[in-house]
Amino acid sequence: MLFLDKHRPRALENLDYHDGLSARLKALANSGDFPHLLVYGPSGAGKKTRIVATLRALFGPGVEKIKIDSRIFTTTSNRKLEFNIVASVYHLEITPSDVGNYDRVVVQSLLKEVAQTQQLDLNARQRFKVVVINEADQLSRDAQAALRRTMEKYSPNLRLILIANSTANIIAPIRSRTLLVRVAAPRHDEIVKVLTHVAELEMLESNPGLYRRIAEESGRNLRRALMMFESIYAQNDTITASMPIQPPDYDALIQTIADELLADHTPARILLVRPKLYDLLTHCITATTILKSLTFKLLMKVDDALKAEIVKWGAHYEHRLHVGSKVIFHLEAFVAKVLRILER
Amino acid sequence: MAAFFDIAARRAAAQAAAADAAPTTSRSKDTDRIVPWVEKYRPKSLLDVTAQDHTISVLRRTLQSANLPHMLFYGPPGTGKTSTILALAKELYGPELMKTRVLELNASDERGISIVREKVKNFARVAVSNPTSEQSKKYPCPPYKIIILDEADSMTQDAQSALRRTMETYSKITRFCLICNYVTRIIDPLASRCSKFRFKSLDEGSARERLVGIAEREEVKYEEGVVEALIRVSDGDLRKAITYLQSAAKLHNPITPSTKKDDEDDIMSGNEHAPPQSSTSSPKLDLAVPTTITVRSIEEIAGVIPTDTITTLISALELKPSSFKGISKIVSELVADGWSAGQVVLQLYQSLVFNDEVPSKAKNEIVMYFSEIDKRLADGSDEHLQILDLCLKISGILGRN
């Protein structure tokens, strides 16, 4: 089992940071009057951990007994959709963006079905069921509109917890019906604290200098920090504060691309870089990730005068990735643009 | 699980449950308690609707003549459109008859063209049921039904066109009420069949009156400026303001008065300064949240970025010569703290565009970039890159002037 899952806090009291937030969630869970929640924050900040802990505070340990259901939905045009639901007796967890454009059908039929049935277990602590919706910012407008009235009408039987990376793509009517909960990424010293704690539990030799470096390297992403931490301990027998932290494979490859672009500014470089970009794409690294980390890696090494220009084109082509249809065009266009800027 | 399929056993269990009166009453109390304030304080009659004087007076007149036109309500969210029609229906029919006379459809219901053809048409076609003598004594009970199409702007064009003839054919026994945010999304032929009512954004005075009233009824304690903050962050949307108020009240005072038993209530009132006690005490965390609502907590609930953070960002932007490192660091922090990009853009906009020290020429250029970045964000671009781009551009422009 990964450290990540093994040492994941299960109860609100055991969470390591954001004590104020934990206290509020606890207060909400105990008040018997639980609102709809919209939990947002960057990835690796601990959104899911907090939600699972809150559910546990609401319903008791029963929520941890989960099973995976596969359900079939039929669209109006008689297309069959297969959809996976993670469920316990008290809650359901769905990722509607799995079914792309048909998310509205799932949201409408599934939520209504849940909302119209009452909790069977008379001993349950709450009489409502909770539906956790992952990647809520990927929901289509239609699906979000379908949520609006459902949230008000069926509030005796149903509570929603929406999880999103940002509130930007959530329509205003939903935002005004939910309690917004922001989960900020952990600060560096908080990551260090967590790593020290995990090392203690695993009975590993503590090494604060290394932990601080991991924290800085991880970009305030606790999940990434824990993965780095584990891989370092798995690969090496002796641990020193100054030992190299292995970046993930894809990150190393992007670094190579950046270095190659900086070394020489001839058009031949595009040809050299192309197979690497394809390699990244075929390994399911999203184009946004590639472009973003390439931009930031270039920024670290170029003159200050060029930085604004590179960010400008990075942002420009990143937007193109979303509007366009074939990502490789825009990645190569960015590479060509960068070479041009560097040449000047 | 076996008992679940055993119908006889379930019936017996149901009877046992019904006989055992105690749990049933506590259940009904529960439902009482968990009603959101937005529903709880929904206007009960037309007179209760705030700040829509013109619309209400017209509607009251039609109420007396008991003849209603088809209606189209439009206006920004949270201004009382749904509340008004529900209150009107209640005044016309009373709570009992309303169930058979009113059909409410909204975006959460399937509303494709097939539904308009079947469900709406079938409901429109059915003859009007007769009110009992008791009902007709209390309420006007006019001889028609009402179909409410809430959030009508999310109906497809086809579905809207299918309504056209239906509205006319059954106009003797059915009235339609369309509710929408954007009147332009309703096709012309439908709009011309309805008398239109515009709901205007709530003015500050009436919003304040309402919020203070609710806070008093719910015994919410709040510090000075909270109501103003609520009005500011909700821009005229009363529902948003009430939801925020309720959320804040829940966070600061987890035990609502109605959950306490009477005897406990006495103890509590005798000992006002005691912190609210949670039903289960936790071993590690101190759960004492202050009981008065603060301005900051309202802003946190609304997702507003603290002014300090924005000021730091802006002073970094105004720095000459501009420092890429400083800006990049602040932006990374902002993103890692989880602030939404839309909010960052909005607050930057507000503090730059309304700042008189920034020359107009610079403002012109900056505003163009705001528009560009907003579009990109709406297209789902990466927030970190876009905000960084925006900030660098602003810094470049400010540095030039």
Side-chain angles (χ1 to χ4, degrees):
Chain A
M1 208 183 205
L2 295 172
F3 286 179
L4 192 66
D5 297 318
K6 200 164 156 192
H7 301 297
R8 188 188 290 277
R10 303 250 181 277
L12 282 172
E13 296 89 43
N14 301 335
L15 292 171
D16 288 293
Y17 48 92
H18 297 332
D19 287 348
L21 179 61
S22 309
R24 288 169 177 190
L25 286 174
K26 178 113 194 162
L28 283 180
N30 284 334
S31 71
D33 184 5
F34 195 71
H36 300 293
L37 293 185
L38 170 57
V39 181
Y40 67 104
S43 59
K47 300 185 289 294
K48 202 55 177 293
T49 310
R50 275 167 183 72
I51 288 168
V52 173
T54 311
L55 286 174
R56 200 183 137 106
L58 270 174
F59 296 106
V63 283
E64 281 167 19
K65 283 186 204 135
I66 51 172
K67 60 179 193 311
I68 298 178
D69 260 349
S70 178
R71 291 276 302 272
I72 302 221
F73 291 95
T74 322
T75 65
T76 38
S77 53
N78 271 332
R79 232 187 85 136
K80 295 260 192 302
L81 298 173
E82 205 177 300
F83 187 70
N84 285 327
I85 301 170
V86 180
S88 78
V89 190
Y90 307 108
H91 84 291
L92 295 176
E93 199 182 313
I94 53 176
T95 313
S97 51
D98 283 354
V99 284
N101 280 331
Y102 295 101
D103 53 357
R104 185 179 56 98
V105 184
V106 172
V107 167
Q108 279 179 342
S109 43
L110 185 73
L111 288 191
K112 278 217 176 134
E113 187 189 301
V114 176
Q116 284 167 354
T117 50
Q118 287 205 354
Q119 183 73 265
L120 278 175
D121 185 358
L122 282 174
N123 299 320
R125 279 203 227 158
Q126 315 288 345
R127 56 172 315 206
F128 53 80
K129 270 193 167 191
V130 172
V131 175
V132 179
I133 299 183
N134 289 319
E135 298 175 26
D137 41 357
Q138 308 285 323
L139 281 176
S140 65
R141 290 285 150 112
D142 281 349
Q144 295 190 34
L147 281 180
R148 285 169 70 163
R149 193 73 185 131
T150 316
M151 292 170 83
E152 286 178 351
K153 216 166 164 183
Y154 300 108
S155 63
N157 287 339
L158 175 75
R159 289 293 184 285
L160 292 178
I161 299 184
L162 307 171
I163 307 181
N165 279 117
S166 130
T167 55
N169 291 329
I170 310 277
I171 58 172
I174 301 275
R175 267 184 279 163
S176 84
R177 282 174 176 82
T178 49
L179 172 56
L180 298 182
V181 177
R182 182 175 59 91
V183 182
R187 287 192 309 276
H188 290 162
D189 45 337
E190 286 164 340
I191 294 184
V192 173
K193 199 175 109 195
V194 173
L195 293 182
T196 320
H197 182 61
V198 171
E200 232 168 68
L201 290 176
E202 286 290 322
M203 300 204 262
L204 298 167
E205 213 177 310
S206 169
N207 194 335
L210 178 70
Y211 299 160
R212 179 140 288 274
R213 280 180 53 229
I214 293 181
E216 276 155 23
E217 200 78 3
S218 70
R220 296 179 66 180
N221 182 333
L222 187 58
R223 181 176 2 193
R224 196 179 294 160
L226 276 168
M227 296 300 264
M228 286 175 173
F229 173 78
E230 182 163 9
S231 72
I232 285 182
Y233 275 93
Q235 285 165 4
N236 303 290
D237 292 332
T238 48
I239 308 294
T240 58
S242 59
M243 69 189 317
I245 299 169
Q246 278 285 323
D249 290 350
Y250 74 91
D251 219 40
L253 192 55
I254 295 174
Q255 184 65 57
T256 332
I257 297 178
D259 291 340
E260 282 176 1
L261 292 181
L262 291 166
D264 184 20
H265 314 145
T266 56
R269 287 284 146 166
I270 304 182
L271 209 59
L272 191 70
V273 162
R274 178 177 292 158
K276 296 204 175 68
L277 289 177
Y278 267 118
D279 199 19
L280 286 168
L281 287 174
T282 47
H283 283 89
C284 290
I285 308 295
T286 60
T288 301
T289 318
I290 300 175
L291 191 71
K292 197 174 159 190
S293 47
L294 184 58
T295 311
F296 282 104
K297 285 193 191 326
L298 288 168
L299 284 180
M300 278 194 277
K301 301 221 169 135
V302 299
D303 290 347
D304 266 11
L306 298 179
K307 280 178 178 166
E309 191 84 345
I310 287 185
V311 172
K312 176 181 163 193
W313 291 108
H316 178 84
Y317 286 111
E318 203 276 329
H319 175 228
R320 288 286 180 88
L321 288 176
H322 291 274
V323 212
S325 58
K326 197 153 170 65
V327 291
I328 190 74
F329 292 163
H330 308 293
L331 290 177
E332 287 186 347
F334 175 66
V335 168
K337 200 79 200 181
V338 167
L339 290 174
R340 182 98 182 85
I341 295 167
L342 292 174
E343 189 61 32
R344 257 189 273 146
Chain B
M1 239 7 206
F4 182 80
F5 294 105
D6 183 355
I7 294 173
R10 281 176 66 199
R11 223 175 261 150
Q15 271 168 2
D20 191 2
T24 359
T25 48
S26 75
R27 288 278 150 162
S28 66
K29 237 183 188 173
D30 277 2
T31 28
D32 234 35
R33 190 180 76 206
I34 54 181
V35 173
W37 293 357
V38 185
E39 294 294 327
K40 194 168 168 188
Y41 295 100
R42 219 180 247 293
K44 302 272 182 316
S45 72
L46 281 179
L47 280 178
D48 292 346
V49 177
T50 331
Q52 310 293 352
D53 303 331
H54 177 69
T55 313
I56 298 305
S57 65
V58 173
L59 282 178
R60 288 195 64 78
R61 234 173 289 145
T62 54
L63 195 65
Q64 277 150 14
S65 71
N67 191 15
L68 213 61
H70 294 305
M71 288 171 295
L72 173 61
F73 290 178
Y74 65 99
T79 48
K81 301 179 293 296
T82 312
S83 300
T84 305
I85 187 65
L86 288 178
L88 179 71
K90 206 171 259 172
E91 280 191 24
L92 282 176
Y93 304 117
E96 278 306 306
L97 197 59
M98 209 177 133
K99 284 176 196 155
T100 54
R101 290 286 186 89
V102 179
L103 175 71
E104 192 191 346
L105 287 174
N106 54 60
S108 68
D109 306 290
E110 186 59 59
R111 271 194 316 196
I113 187 162
S114 57
I115 293 295
V116 171
R117 283 201 186 123
E118 287 159 28
K119 203 167 170 186
V120 173
K121 217 168 172 179
N122 282 340
F123 184 82
R125 188 154 51 190
V126 173
V128 184
S129 60
N130 279 326
T132 60
S133 58
E134 193 188 336
Q135 282 164 341
S136 50
K137 235 181 272 168
K138 270 201 215 150
Y139 301 102
C141 296
Y144 48 78
K145 295 160 297 186
I146 297 184
I147 297 181
I148 305 172
L149 293 171
D150 207 344
E151 294 149 23
D153 37 7
S154 65
M155 286 172 78
T156 58
Q157 293 255 335
D158 288 350
Q160 291 189 33
S161 347
L163 267 183
R164 294 157 58 164
R165 193 66 191 143
T166 316
M167 278 174 89
E168 284 175 352
T169 322
Y170 304 107
S171 62
K172 270 191 187 147
I173 48 172
T174 305
R175 295 289 181 279
F176 281 83
C177 177
L178 305 175
I179 303 181
C180 62
N181 292 131
Y182 307 100
V183 73
T184 43
R185 299 236 182 106
I186 303 292
I187 57 170
D188 279 347
L190 268 194
S192 72
R193 282 174 172 80
C194 303
S195 55
K196 289 185 205 146
F197 294 95
R198 189 172 74 91
F199 282 68
K200 52 182 189 292
S201 197
L202 251 72
D203 59 296
E204 214 169 287
S206 26
R208 182 199 312 272
E209 199 180 309
R210 200 78 189 195
L211 287 170
V212 170
I214 290 177
E216 241 164 53
R217 295 260 290 279
E218 292 289 338
E219 297 170 29
V220 179
K221 280 179 256 167
Y222 53 88
E223 65 173 37
E224 221 168 287
V226 162
V227 176
E228 284 72 22
L230 274 173
I231 294 167
R232 193 174 61 238
V233 295
S234 63
D235 21 68
D237 183 341
L238 191 59
R239 177 180 45 221
K240 210 194 252 177
I242 296 176
T243 316
Y244 287 163
L245 180 65
Q246 186 179 15
S247 309
K250 268 182 215 154
L251 289 180
H252 285 279
N253 194 6
I255 307 280
T256 49
S258 55
T259 62
K260 282 183 244 151
K261 283 182 203 127
D262 289 343
D263 49 351
E264 263 177 21
D265 224 336
D266 291 338
I267 299 166
M268 289 298 281
S269 57
N271 184 5
E272 270 187 335
H273 298 289
Q277 268 151 23
S278 357
S279 46
T280 52
S281 56
S282 77
K284 192 173 150 191
L285 277 180
D286 181 21
L287 287 182
V289 188
T291 48
T292 29
I293 299 171
T294 59
V295 175
R296 185 58 217 138
S297 66
I298 296 284
E299 287 183 345
E300 173 70 44
I301 286 167
V304 177
I305 306 167
T307 336
D308 298 353
T309 321
I310 294 289
T311 327
T312 351
L313 178 59
I314 288 185
S315 54
L317 295 181
E318 282 169 346
L319 212 64
K320 285 177 203 175
S322 63
S323 123
F324 171 80
K325 216 174 159 197
I327 296 174
S328 148
K329 186 159 176 285
I330 295 176
V331 170
S332 314
E333 299 280 303
L334 265 180
V335 173
D337 277 338
W339 299 114
S340 90
Q343 191 68 35
V344 176
V345 172
L346 180 73
Q347 284 187 261
L348 260 185
Y349 178 82
Q350 281 168 348
S351 38
L352 277 177
V353 172
F354 298 110
N355 182 354
D356 289 336
E357 285 169 25
V358 180
S360 308
K361 191 159 169 282
K363 277 186 194 166
N364 284 346
E365 286 182 60
I366 290 173
V367 168
M368 262 174 56
Y369 286 121
F370 271 114
S371 129
E372 173 68 26
I373 298 295
D374 184 63
K375 151 123 185 74
R376 289 190 193 166
L377 286 174
D379 283 338
S381 297
D382 184 80
E383 305 196 333
H384 190 172
L385 265 181
Q386 301 301 342
I387 298 181
L388 188 59
D389 185 27
L390 177 70
C391 290
L392 289 176
K393 272 174 181 150
I394 293 174
S395 145
I397 293 167
L398 291 178
R400 226 186 299 144
N401 287 285

